[in-house]
Amino acid sequence: MEYCNCFESPWPADELLMKYQYISDFFIALAYFSIPLEIIYFVKKSAVFPYRWVLVQFGAFIVLCGATHLINLWTFTMHTRTVAVVMTTAKVLTAVVSCATALLLVHIIPDLLSVKTRELFLKNKAAELDREMGLIRTQEETGRHVRMLTHEIRSTLDRHTILKTTLVELGRTLGLEECALWMPTRTGLELNLSYTLRHQNPVGLTVPIQLPVINQVFKTSRAVKISPISPVARLRPAGQYMPGEVVAVRVPLLHLSNFQIHDWPELSTKRYALMVLMLPSDSARQWHGHELELVEVVADQVAVALSHAAILEESMRARDLLMEQNVALDLARREAETAVRARNDFLAVMNHEMGTPIHATIALSSLLQETELSTEQRLMVETILKSSNLLATLINDVLDLSRLEDGSLQLEIETFNLHSLFREVLNLIKPIAAVKKLYVMLNLSPDLIEHAVGDEKRLMQVLLNVVGNAIKFTKEGGISVLASVAKPDSLRDPRAPDFFPTHSDNHFYLRVESQPLAVKNSGGSGLGLAICKRFVNLMEGHIWIESEGLGRGSTVIFIVKLGIPARLNESKLPFLHKGPGNQVKLIFSGLKVVVMDDNSVGRTVTKGLLVHLGCDVLAVSSGDECVRAVSYEHKAVFLDVSMAAVDSFEVAVRIREKFSKRSDRPFIVALTGNTDRMIKENCRKVGMDGVILKPVLVDKMRSVLSDLLEHGYLVESQ
Amino acid sequence: MEVQLQRSYLEYSKALFREGVLDAQFVELQMLRDESNPDFVMEVVTLFFEDSQRILNQLSNTLNEQSVDFKKVDANVHQLKGSSSSIGALRVRNACIAFRSFCDAQNVEGCLRFLQQIKQEYLLVKNKLEALLRLEQQIVAAGGVVPVLNDFS
């Protein structure tokens, strides 16, 4: 008998039900088998699904369920025991798996659910980040705009460009309808509309500075929203539009004085400009925080840029002023130089022109002296000679005076007889004093040495001046001249702070006092004292007047520094023994030199002089010959510059050109019989190394040669 | 014998200096005479004579022309002045300086008259120098040394 658990179906209509059940089971099985397939297929496609083994379990569960239902198909009819066993096994397995899955799902489902919340959370976060990104981007945009704006502003130092650019860029960046700048007037009581963005030519609108809205803006450094109907914002003709929001910010106008060394620019300045920005009307746009910040930053930058522009303007103005002054000074200097040169030229010419007839007179008079003359005639001729000499000296002195002024006068230092100097001065003064019935007393102190080293001519001049003035201004009585040696300690005079007498073995201080010994005197000290003062200063001395009062006359005292002649050998005795010359001769032995002189006598004499000193002399008589003959072997060339036919200066230039290297070039020395100072200047201009006055003494030539060889130039040319 | 000659030489020289015929320059020239150049003074003096003679002749010629070229005259006198100052002929030099003023004034008469003056001075100096040189030669011939003047003022 076959066991079956199925019922005997009581109802025949149940055959239909059975059929339906059968079909449903079939389809369920089909579905159950296909679902895992689908899942596998789609999971395989997606890579991220984390719960694969859950799927496996689930798949198993479903497959088993499907199997169960499939097997169920066989149980509708008569079936064998195997089928029943299989059915049972399948059912048992399914039960196990489904329980396991159910248990597992308890764990899994919350996880799955939380995935969803996490997803939501992440979505929110993403949205937030997006928002922030948007903000940062805006800020960066703003920053970029500010940088660009700043760059634009700072790239120019012109005030107008700065302001115009600011307005333009701000307008562009913020999309403004209108942007305007109000500057304070000179008086500081009003604000003047200076620049606008849209209006090309702002009409001169002014607004008093004491308005409350303006004060409000000026009080803070932040951008302030103001009402569109305030006077500063009413820039457009009142129109139909709804005006957009208006913001105003102050722009400090800084000065140089605001930049303290240690602090940030103190905004204690009272001067502000006002910048007004209007959003487009009818746009319902609002001022955002970052936009306000932008405006504030820009306002600051503009302030700085403006101050730079102002500083630059000032420094340009100062520079222009300086340049003008320089030009003026330069012109003045050149004019002064021209004047000095003109005066010197004039003086030199005068000196020369006046000198020639004077010298002729002197020459003729001395010749006259040699002829047969009666005593009277001799006296007359002597006076003529003396006067002419004096005149010649005076003419020279005119030139000296101008050189004194320039400071280019140099003393002619030599040894002279001090005692005879005083005597001579006295002799010259005595006749004049005699005419005025005055007596002159000379007192030379016993410690005054006989010979001294100094400028005899100038010292005599000073003496003559001082004594002469004393005579001039003494009405009756006489004058006394006291000459003594002054001790340096007693020489310090508070009236002459620059006078520092020094103590040395080489020099002493001569003190001369000219005192009127009289009862009656007219006042005055003479004009020549200024010249004397200059000479005395040159001699490193000091001159002053002491007066006892009006009508009592003045005592003139001066102190000059004179040298003490070291040995008698060095004094002005023209003929030396040949002794010391021998050593020097060795130095010059074989020294090659060239002498150029077109006068045969002069040439021979100069040649003889140099040969005597041991040189190897080549004498030429023409400039061409000279230039041709000069070679690098020659160490010196002596050119006579008083030649009429040859331009010695040209020869000098040609010699210089011949030798490019300074070391090859021989020294070029000019010989001249002319005492004219212009010659010296011309020689120096042409590049000669020295000038010697003819006739040349042996010692002079020796010292010249040793100077040249030792120093490379003439230390002191006469 | 030489001492006598030397003394008379010195006397003669001193006289010349006192009279102003020669000046210190001449002494300088004498100092340049040494063993290597014993005839130096003679050379220079001879040269001076030749040169001056030539110049004086030229001056006469130039001044006697129809139209006198004063530039040339001036140049010549300048030369003579140079030579005479190189040798130490003081009076000749002074005469030259004085002559130049006549030359500047372009006074032919004056120049001619003064030329005579110069010639006279020159002849004077020439004679004196020749005498001096003769004395020197005598001293040298006698085996002595020509004395060098060391102070004459």
Side-chain angles (χ1 to χ4, degrees):
Chain A
M1 176 113 158
E2 273 175 22
Y3 288 88
C4 102
N5 288 348
C6 57
F7 304 133
E8 297 270 334
S9 137
W11 307 294
D14 290 332
E15 283 245 350
L16 201 65
L17 282 172
M18 295 291 279
K19 261 205 182 94
Y20 284 133
Q21 269 197 2
Y22 189 84
I23 295 168
S24 315
D25 266 334
F26 177 73
F27 275 110
I28 287 172
L30 199 67
Y32 273 10
F33 280 133
S34 54
I35 285 174
L37 285 175
E38 284 171 19
I39 289 180
I40 289 171
Y41 175 71
F42 282 115
V43 164
K44 262 226 169 79
K45 272 223 162 159
S46 102
V48 288
F49 197 75
Y51 298 116
R52 279 181 199 245
W53 61 276
V54 169
L55 279 177
V56 167
Q57 221 168 10
F58 212 65
F61 164 66
I62 290 182
V63 161
L64 283 169
C65 274
T68 315
H69 282 281
L70 192 70
I71 296 171
N72 227 6
L73 289 175
W74 273 269
T75 55
F76 284 113
T77 50
M78 289 289 289
H79 52 277
T80 57
R81 187 184 167 90
T82 327
V83 173
V85 166
V86 167
M87 180 74 194
T88 317
T89 323
K91 274 211 172 131
V92 166
L93 278 175
T94 311
V96 167
V97 172
S98 33
C99 285
T101 311
L103 282 171
L104 214 62
L105 279 179
V106 171
H107 294 286
I108 301 284
I109 288 181
D111 265 355
L112 287 175
L113 283 179
S114 73
V115 163
K116 232 9 186 151
T117 41
R118 227 179 286 158
E119 189 193 315
L120 201 66
F121 174 67
L122 281 170
K123 220 189 276 176
N124 282 346
K125 264 280 188 236
E128 215 179 285
L129 276 170
D130 266 336
R131 264 200 307 279
E132 269 180 29
M133 267 294 282
L135 254 166
I136 290 174
R137 220 178 280 133
T138 329
Q139 271 180 349
E140 199 195 315
E141 279 273 321
T142 311
R144 202 157 39 83
H145 276 138
V146 170
R147 268 198 301 281
M148 197 179 50
L149 189 54
T150 314
H151 176 75
E152 289 283 339
I153 292 173
R154 304 280 230 146
S155 66
T156 168
L157 286 168
D158 173 42
R159 160 188 287 264
H160 293 286
T161 320
I162 290 173
L163 292 169
K164 264 265 171 248
T165 316
T166 312
L167 298 182
V168 164
E169 290 298 322
L170 265 180
R172 193 147 24 120
T173 309
L174 299 171
L176 301 172
E177 172 174 357
E178 180 61 270
C179 189
L181 190 71
W182 300 76
M183 302 279 280
T185 57
R186 272 193 193 283
T187 58
L189 297 173
E190 293 181 323
L191 283 181
N192 191 11
L193 180 62
S194 316
Y195 302 91
T196 57
L197 186 58
R198 308 282 174 207
H199 292 349
Q200 284 315 309
N201 300 311
V203 183
L205 287 174
T206 50
V207 153
I209 210 170
Q210 289 304 328
L211 289 180
V213 60
I214 297 178
N215 279 337
Q216 185 196 0
V217 176
F218 279 178
K219 257 199 263 218
T220 165
S221 65
R222 318 218 41 170
V224 173
K225 287 209 189 91
I226 62 174
S227 156
I229 53 170
S230 55
V232 289
R234 226 177 314 160
L235 300 167
R236 298 250 152 156
Q240 321 81 314
Y241 308 105
M242 242 288 270
E245 287 202 339
V246 182
V247 144
V249 69
R250 71 176 187 188
V251 180
L253 297 172
L254 301 167
H255 291 290
L256 194 58
S257 53
N258 291 120
F259 289 90
Q260 307 294 327
I261 304 173
H262 301 295
D263 324 328
W264 194 245
E266 283 220 350
L267 296 179
S268 55
T269 170
K270 295 289 190 297
R271 280 169 57 88
Y272 296 109
L274 189 73
M275 193 152 60
V276 173
L277 306 108
M278 295 193 332
L279 285 179
S281 18
D282 285 351
S283 71
R285 246 181 73 185
Q286 294 232 313
W287 282 99
H288 300 185
H290 68 269
E291 288 172 341
L292 291 179
E293 255 179 59
L294 175 74
V295 167
E296 284 157 22
V297 167
V298 168
D300 271 334
Q301 287 296 319
V302 167
V304 172
L306 279 179
S307 68
H308 283 184
I311 292 172
L312 181 75
E313 263 174 44
E314 260 197 58
S315 74
M316 297 283 276
R317 224 168 336 121
R319 189 196 68 167
D320 285 337
L321 194 64
L322 266 172
M323 270 187 3
E324 257 175 67
Q325 281 179 339
N326 269 356
V327 166
L329 272 171
D330 207 31
L331 189 66
R333 181 181 57 95
R334 258 178 297 137
E335 275 176 9
E337 273 179 11
T338 322
V340 164
R341 241 176 312 153
R343 181 199 64 181
N344 283 345
D345 288 342
F346 166 71
L347 283 172
V349 165
M350 281 268 287
N351 187 26
H352 183 74
E353 295 306 315
M354 290 203 290
T356 317
I358 294 291
H359 287 136
T361 314
I362 295 175
L364 281 166
S365 316
S366 51
L367 281 173
L368 196 56
Q369 261 186 330
E370 311 303 329
T371 63
E372 288 281 330
L373 295 170
S374 71
T375 331
E376 286 168 359
Q377 287 175 320
R378 192 161 287 276
L379 210 67
M380 287 194 260
V381 171
E382 272 174 10
T383 315
I384 293 175
L385 203 54
K386 275 217 185 95
S387 315
S388 314
N389 273 326
L390 205 64
L391 195 55
T393 317
L394 268 171
I395 292 172
N396 262 348
D397 288 348
V398 168
L399 206 55
D400 277 353
L401 194 62
S402 65
R403 230 163 290 107
L404 258 183
E405 308 269 322
D406 297 343
S408 59
L409 183 80
Q410 282 174 325
L411 293 176
E412 290 164 23
I413 309 285
E414 56 186 12
T415 312
F416 63 95
N417 191 323
L418 198 59
H419 288 224
S420 57
L421 177 79
F422 277 104
R423 274 196 291 273
E424 199 170 325
V425 167
L426 230 68
N427 286 339
L428 281 168
I429 286 294
K430 269 208 179 104
I432 307 171
V435 165
K436 282 184 91 170
K437 300 212 180 19
L438 302 167
Y439 62 85
V440 182
M441 226 172 63
L442 173 65
N443 194 335
L444 299 175
S445 96
D447 59 358
L448 204 63
I449 55 178
E450 187 163 342
H451 291 278
V453 178
D455 191 332
E456 179 186 15
K457 202 169 63 149
R458 307 276 165 54
L459 183 60
M460 175 142 84
Q461 231 176 329
V462 172
L463 270 168
L464 270 173
N465 212 304
V466 166
V467 177
N469 277 335
I471 296 277
K472 206 187 329 175
F473 293 110
T474 307
K475 280 218 174 100
E476 54 182 42
I479 61 161
S480 120
V481 179
L482 292 144
S484 56
V485 174
K487 299 282 172 291
D489 319 309
S490 64
L491 288 178
R492 289 294 278 123
D493 184 5
R495 277 169 293 194
D498 299 334
F499 183 47
F500 288 116
T502 55
H503 203 53
S504 157
D505 284 334
N506 280 348
H507 57 258
F508 70 100
Y509 285 92
L510 169 71
R511 184 180 191 280
V512 175
E513 189 177 320
S514 152
Q515 214 176 25
L517 307 164
V519 175
K520 265 229 198 103
N521 270 314
S522 62
S525 53
L527 297 166
L529 217 53
I531 306 170
C532 287
K533 189 168 179 173
R534 286 208 178 79
F535 279 141
V536 167
N537 283 337
L538 267 176
M539 295 189 212
E540 295 179 54
H542 177 44
I543 181 168
W544 71 96
I545 306 174
E546 280 171 16
S547 175
E548 300 205 8
L550 213 58
R552 299 288 230 105
S554 12
T555 301
V556 178
I557 308 172
F558 71 86
I559 298 175
V560 290
K561 183 164 132 178
L562 295 174
I564 302 172
R567 286 191 316 266
L568 223 53
N569 269 345
E570 290 179 15
S571 59
K572 192 187 162 197
L573 298 177
F575 312 109
L576 287 182
H577 308 291
K578 285 198 186 181
N582 280 333
Q583 302 152 306
V584 192
K585 212 167 168 176
L586 286 170
I587 305 175
F588 297 148
S589 159
L591 188 76
K592 281 190 156 211
V593 298
V594 175
V595 168
M596 181 184 84
D597 190 343
D598 65 349
N599 185 315
S600 52
V601 178
R603 196 169 57 241
T604 317
V605 170
T606 314
K607 177 175 173 176
L609 191 69
L610 289 162
V611 164
H612 180 72
L613 287 174
C615 303
D616 177 357
V617 184
L618 173 69
V620 297
S621 58
S622 78
D624 293 329
E625 222 183 309
C626 180
V627 177
R628 253 204 311 273
V630 172
S631 75
Y632 67 89
E633 287 180 327
H634 295 108
K635 288 283 174 285
V637 177
F638 293 92
L639 303 174
D640 184 293
V641 297
S642 49
M643 300 184 288
V646 185
D647 183 1
S648 321
F649 299 117
E650 194 210 318
V651 174
V653 170
R654 279 163 69 190
I655 294 177
R656 278 189 82 129
E657 283 170 4
K658 191 171 172 183
F659 298 91
S660 51
K661 270 211 295 193
R662 182 75 180 74
S663 50
D664 286 343
R665 193 162 63 76
F667 296 113
I668 306 178
V669 179
L671 297 164
T672 174
N674 195 344
T675 53
D676 189 1
R677 323 269 169 151
M678 287 307 291
I679 296 275
K680 218 175 172 188
E681 277 299 311
N682 291 339
C683 289
R684 203 192 328 226
K685 262 188 239 172
V686 158
M688 298 204 190
D689 299 296
V691 177
I692 318 177
L693 207 55
K694 284 210 295 193
V696 191
L697 305 174
V698 180
D699 301 315
K700 183 73 194 165
M701 185 59 92
R702 193 183 286 129
S703 75
V704 161
L705 279 175
S706 37
D707 273 345
L708 280 177
L709 292 177
E710 217 178 286
H711 303 117
Y713 58 91
L714 275 182
V715 173
E716 188 199 74
S717 56
Q718 198 184 349
Chain B
M1 165 66 168
E2 6 184 298
V3 177
Q4 186 71 5
L5 282 171
Q6 285 173 338
R7 210 176 310 145
S8 48
Y9 178 85
L10 279 174
E11 289 290 329
Y12 195 59
S13 313
K14 282 209 182 122
L16 284 180
F17 289 123
R18 258 202 306 273
E19 289 167 26
V21 176
L22 293 175
D23 67 10
Q25 180 65 11
F26 189 70
V27 184
E28 282 287 312
L29 288 184
Q30 292 199 308
M31 282 185 49
L32 295 179
R33 175 180 36 211
D34 54 19
E35 311 82 43
S36 54
N37 213 348
D39 296 327
F40 181 66
V41 182
M42 179 95 72
E43 255 183 68
V44 177
V45 169
T46 321
L47 211 58
F48 172 67
F49 291 156
E50 285 170 9
D51 212 38
S52 311
Q53 193 66 52
R54 179 179 56 87
I55 292 178
L56 285 171
N57 288 340
Q58 256 184 353
L59 272 173
S60 312
N61 292 340
T62 320
L63 281 172
N64 281 322
E65 283 171 12
Q66 280 285 53
S67 61
V68 180
D69 184 356
F70 280 102
K71 275 215 179 60
K72 225 164 121 188
V73 172
D74 191 67
N76 278 327
V77 174
H78 183 77
Q79 283 266 1
L80 187 59
K81 175 172 157 241
S83 312
S84 49
S85 53
S86 295
I87 204 170
L90 182 63
R91 279 163 68 151
V92 177
R93 176 167 166 269
N94 282 344
C96 288
I97 297 177
F99 183 85
R100 281 185 103 180
S101 55
F102 285 109
C103 191
D104 283 341
Q106 309 219 336
N107 182 348
V108 181
E109 280 294 310
C111 285
L112 277 171
R113 256 211 307 269
F114 212 78
L115 184 60
Q116 292 308 313
Q117 179 86 359
I118 296 183
K119 275 191 180 156
Q120 270 184 326
E121 294 293 343
Y122 166 67
L123 285 169
L124 180 68
V125 140
K126 182 161 179 229
N127 286 336
K128 302 277 186 197
L129 279 173
E130 280 175 343
L132 201 67
L133 287 176
R134 264 200 302 276
L135 265 176
E136 274 188 19
Q137 280 178 330
Q138 282 179 336
I139 295 176
V140 170
V145 167
V146 182
V148 178
L149 305 137
N150 50 16
D151 197 344
F152 69 98
S153 54

